[in-house]
Amino acid sequence: MFTLYGRDGWGSVLVEAQLALYRLPFRIETVGDLLRAPESRRALIALNPIAQIPTLVLPDGRVMTESAAITLYLAEVAKSDLLVPRPDAGERASFLRWLVFLVANIYPTFTYADVPTRFVPDAAADPFVAAVDQHRKALWGAVEGAADEPWFLGARFSAIDLYLGTMTRWEPGPAWFAAEMPRLAAIGARARADDRVAAIFSRHFPGD
C-alpha cells in the first residue's frame, strides 16, 4: 500500500486523484499546516528534507517526492497511459513540456510568496509578493495560450488536467481564472467534476 502525506487543498490532491484513477491501494497521512506549524515541518523532514507535500511512501518503504516525478512513476507502476501519454504518442512532447512548466515555473511562485521573508527582508516582503503574483499571472497566460479543449491536450484527458483542477483553485483565485484564463478555468472545472475523482476534489475544495 502507498502512504500519501498530504493536506486538504494542498498539492497532495494531485497524487491522491492519480492513485484513485489507477485504483492503486493507498492511505492518507494528514499533515499539519507546514507554513504555520513548525512541529509539522519537523515531523515531515524525516521523510522529505524540504518538508513539502506531496510526499509519497512506496509499498517497499522508499520515499518519493516531486509531483511530476510521482506522476511519471505511477503511470509506470500502473502500466497505463490513462494520465501520461506513451513515448510514441503524438501528445507526449506537449504533455512533458507543460507538466514540467507547471512544476518548474508556476509552483515555485507559491514557495516564494507564501513565506517571503525566507527570501527578502521584512521591509521588502510586500513588494516582493506583489512582483511574484504578477509574474505568476504572466506565466499562467502562457499556459492559457497553449490550452486546447475540452482538455488541455485536446480530446485526450491527462494528468495536466488534474493539475489545472487543483491549481485554478489557488491564488490568484477562481474568479481571476474565470475572468482572465477562461480555458484553464473550464478545464479545471471539468476535471473536478469528473465522476472518478469528483468526491476527492469536493473534499479538498468544498463548495466548488
Side-chain angles (χ1 to χ4, degrees):
M1 178 175 289
F2 292 88
T3 300
L4 174 62
Y5 286 75
R7 181 173 176 82
D8 285 356
W10 290 42
S12 54
V13 63
L14 298 164
V15 176
E16 183 180 349
Q18 291 180 52
L19 289 165
L21 284 164
Y22 290 134
R23 299 185 178 182
L24 295 171
F26 70 97
R27 69 181 186 91
I28 297 173
E29 189 74 29
T30 300
V31 176
D33 189 336
L34 296 170
L35 300 178
R36 296 173 180 83
E39 67 278 8
S40 295
R41 290 185 60 83
R42 286 194 294 269
L44 191 58
I45 281 172
L47 294 172
N48 184 343
I50 57 173
Q52 291 181 344
I53 55 177
T55 294
L56 185 67
V57 179
L58 308 185
D60 63 6
R62 289 177 298 159
V63 176
M64 280 208 75
T65 66
E66 316 312 318
S67 65
I70 294 170
T71 293
L72 298 176
Y73 178 76
L74 291 180
E76 294 175 351
V77 169
K79 296 180 172 59
S80 171
D81 66 349
L82 176 65
L83 299 175
V84 176
R86 295 188 186 280
D88 59 352
E91 309 92 349
R92 175 77 172 192
S94 291
F95 173 83
L96 292 174
R97 176 190 177 185
W98 293 105
L99 174 68
V100 174
F101 186 94
L102 290 172
V103 299
N105 289 289
I106 297 181
Y107 234 87
T109 66
F110 296 99
T111 301
Y112 302 145
D114 284 346
V115 187
T117 51
R118 287 183 290 188
F119 305 98
V120 297
D122 288 352
D126 287 346
F128 176 76
V129 170
V132 171
D133 288 346
Q134 284 302 117
H135 180 58
R136 182 192 297 136
K137 290 176 180 178
L139 293 171
W140 277 124
V143 184
E144 172 82 1
D148 206 330
E149 58 181 359
W151 303 110
F152 184 81
L153 296 176
R156 195 209 193 287
F157 181 76
S158 76
I160 291 177
D161 304 308
L162 298 176
Y163 273 82
L164 296 177
T166 301
M167 297 176 77
T168 56
R169 294 288 291 171
W170 295 347
E171 292 293 334
W176 181 84
F177 279 102
E180 303 294 335
M181 307 287 152
R183 279 181 287 187
L184 300 184
I187 293 167
R190 288 187 197 102
R192 292 190 299 274
D194 188 295
D195 289 343
R196 298 169 294 177
V197 291
I200 292 172
F201 276 111
S202 292
R203 192 185 81 252
H204 283 269
F205 304 110
D208 186 24

